[in-house]
Structure formats: structure tokens, C-alpha cells
Amino acid sequence: TGVYVYMHHTWWCEKETALHFDDGKDLTYALNLDKLGHYTASCLASNGFSDILRVIGFSENTSLRGGAALSSVNATIIELKDGYAPYWGFSLYDETANILGAFYPVLQAKVPFFKNINFKWSYDVDYSYNTVYYKYKIATESASAYSFIDDYDRQYFWMTFDWASVFCKDKPKYKFPYCIDFAIGFSGQNIKAEQYGEFDPSYSAADTHHQFFIGLDFNLTKLFKKKNVAYYVCKYANFYHLPMPALQVAPKARGYWMMIKVG
């Protein structure tokens, strides 16, 4: 409900039209990084719904499948809202990412190897780094409509690999350094430059590009062995990638002691 209310004021504030499908704009939006956002958010929601169903008393299988189904319904409701937006529309690609993310925890439970591969999100909260999107909102006098969800220059999506669980099965994995995983990160820079270009010619669509990283990740779920309150706090905090050493490998090499921002 909170996400729905927030997006209603920043994303769906235009007059509604009849329900329609996206006409192709979605495939050029945010270098498609939003698909990773849909996937990761649905995976998080699926875990949350499943844990609630377990607490209520449902079986493990019912909780897993029920969590995936509820996450899919939750995301579909939001996607349907996009279907009434004048500029956008219902995106089959977004919906596919939603469903794949929602059912990934089911895959992890049925094929244990996939428990070693997880997906995370991180965000640059340093607003001294004025992104193209932020400048565009200021230039168009629509700063009140600024949405952190839409500012993809500040967002990073990570796929982590639990090497200790694969290669050190006989070791106590809750101890250092077994709580350190490998990570591959994805982001973008100068997103929405083609829109801001009319206010500052120094920006153009040619400046927009993906960024790729390799680095380390701190696996918070390994701090506790028992599934108590602290474990579940760490489980959901673990969906956020904490600042860790990383190397940008494309479009140019650049190292970071702590992966916080890209200037």
C-alpha cells in the first residue's frame, strides 16, 4: 500500500486512459535496468509473503508457492496501474521479470544449488552527486515529482555467489571470511540524458551507458545459525548490498574501496 500511494503521486499523477499495452517505450526506458528492479523486488516480496504464511501455520510447500503467487499478484496490480497511464502501458517484459523474481525462491528450495546465487540492490544516497535525472526534474520545474525509484543512475543491482557453501562445505560458514561472497553489479550512467539535452547540450543520448562491476558482498544471513528474530532481520537486510570493495570493469576500469557512488 505504501509503494502504491508513493507511486500514485510520482508516477501515475497524469490523467488515466483506457487499459492498453506498452507500445515499445518500455524497452528503451532506463537501459532496461528497471527489469532488474522488478525481479529483485518481486523476489523480496515472495520471501516476505512466504515467511508470513509459515508463521500462520501453512506447510512449507504451500508457503513457498503461496508467497510466489501473492508476490506475482502484488506486482501485477502495480503493472495494471501502468496500463492505464497515458505515456506507458502494461509491459509484458516487466510482468515477466515480476513472475520470474517471485518464483525464484521456489527454485532455490527445489534446486539447492541456487541458494548460493542471490540478488540484491543498493542505492547512492549522496545527493551531492547530481544525476542527469535530478537535473532534468529541476530544469523542467518538476522537482516535486522527483522519484528515487526512477533515478537509476543512483541504483545498483547485484548478483552474489556464495563460494563458501560450494567449496567449503565442511567449514563453519557463519564465521569470517565465509560470510564474504562474490558479487557482479550492474548500473547505468547519464540515464535520461536525451531528455535533459534540450536544457544542456553537453548531455546527449550518446553519453548514456551501462556500467558493470565485480566485487565482494557481505552475507548477513551467515551471522546467525538459528532462525530467530535476529536471523530474519538479517535475512531481509541482506537484500541490500552493503558498501564493499568493487572494481568497475566497463565501460572503463575503476576501483572503489567501498562501493558507494559513481561520479
Side-chain angles (χ1 to χ4, degrees):
T1 301
V3 171
Y4 186 93
V5 171
Y6 174 81
M7 293 187 69
H8 179 75
H9 292 287
T10 59
W11 189 255
W12 302 318
C13 54
E14 298 173 301
K15 185 177 179 180
E16 289 188 352
T17 63
L19 179 64
H20 60 285
F21 287 92
D22 176 75
D23 61 3
K25 297 184 184 72
D26 182 57
L27 290 178
T28 62
Y29 169 67
L31 297 176
N32 285 307
L33 290 172
D34 63 307
K35 308 300 181 292
L36 298 178
H38 282 273
Y39 184 94
T40 305
S42 293
C43 186
L44 169 61
S46 181
N47 275 276
F49 283 125
S50 293
D51 283 336
I52 291 172
L53 293 174
R54 289 188 187 93
V55 171
I56 293 173
F58 286 95
S59 68
E60 180 64 20
N61 282 335
T62 300
S63 297
L64 275 171
R65 293 184 172 89
L70 288 170
S71 177
S72 298
V73 169
N74 176 69
T76 301
I77 290 172
I78 295 176
E79 196 59 44
L80 280 171
K81 185 68 175 176
D82 272 354
Y84 289 95
Y87 185 76
W88 301 105
F90 186 96
S91 169
L92 294 175
Y93 299 100
D94 286 355
E95 183 67 358
T96 299
N98 291 332
I99 294 173
L100 290 175
F103 279 88
Y104 186 67
V106 179
L107 176 64
Q108 288 180 306
K110 301 303 180 183
V111 185
F113 174 79
F114 286 98
K115 291 182 179 180
N116 303 310
I117 301 174
N118 290 286
F119 299 90
K120 298 188 176 187
W121 173 83
S122 61
Y123 191 82
D124 169 27
V125 296
D126 182 1
Y127 281 83
S128 64
Y129 169 38
N130 292 325
T131 64
V132 171
Y133 171 73
Y134 182 79
K135 292 178 179 179
Y136 172 70
K137 288 296 183 181
I138 297 296
T140 56
E141 298 182 352
S142 56
S144 60
Y146 173 82
S147 169
F148 79 93
I149 295 176
D150 200 27
D151 198 345
Y152 282 94
D153 271 45
R154 300 185 194 277
Q155 300 187 49
Y156 308 89
F157 299 94
W158 303 86
M159 182 175 70
T160 66
F161 178 70
D162 184 353
W163 65 275
S165 294
V166 175
F167 301 110
C168 305
K169 295 182 179 180
D170 57 336
K171 302 293 184 180
K173 305 189 180 49
Y174 59 92
K175 294 184 178 180
F176 185 84
Y178 303 108
C179 54
I180 303 298
D181 295 346
F182 293 121
I184 299 175
F186 308 90
S187 187
Q189 193 166 31
N190 293 332
I191 296 173
K192 294 186 182 290
E194 70 282 0
Q195 293 173 305
Y196 186 68
E198 61 183 288
F199 301 100
D200 186 344
S202 65
Y203 287 99
S204 68
D207 299 319
T208 303
H209 55 265
H210 286 100
Q211 293 173 314
F212 301 94
F213 307 87
I214 56 174
L216 302 177
D217 176 70
F218 195 91
N219 191 336
L220 292 171
T221 62
K222 294 186 178 182
L223 297 179
F224 299 93
K225 292 185 292 183
K226 295 182 179 180
K227 291 187 176 181
N228 50 24
V229 173
Y231 170 83
Y232 283 105
V233 170
C234 286
K235 174 181 177 178
Y236 290 100
N238 201 51
F239 277 90
Y240 189 87
H241 175 76
L242 296 174
M244 293 287 285
L247 173 67
Q248 178 181 310
V249 295
K252 61 180 180 180
R254 183 177 180 181
Y256 298 88
W257 287 108
M258 288 291 165
M259 188 64 217
I260 299 177
K261 65 172 289 186
V262 176

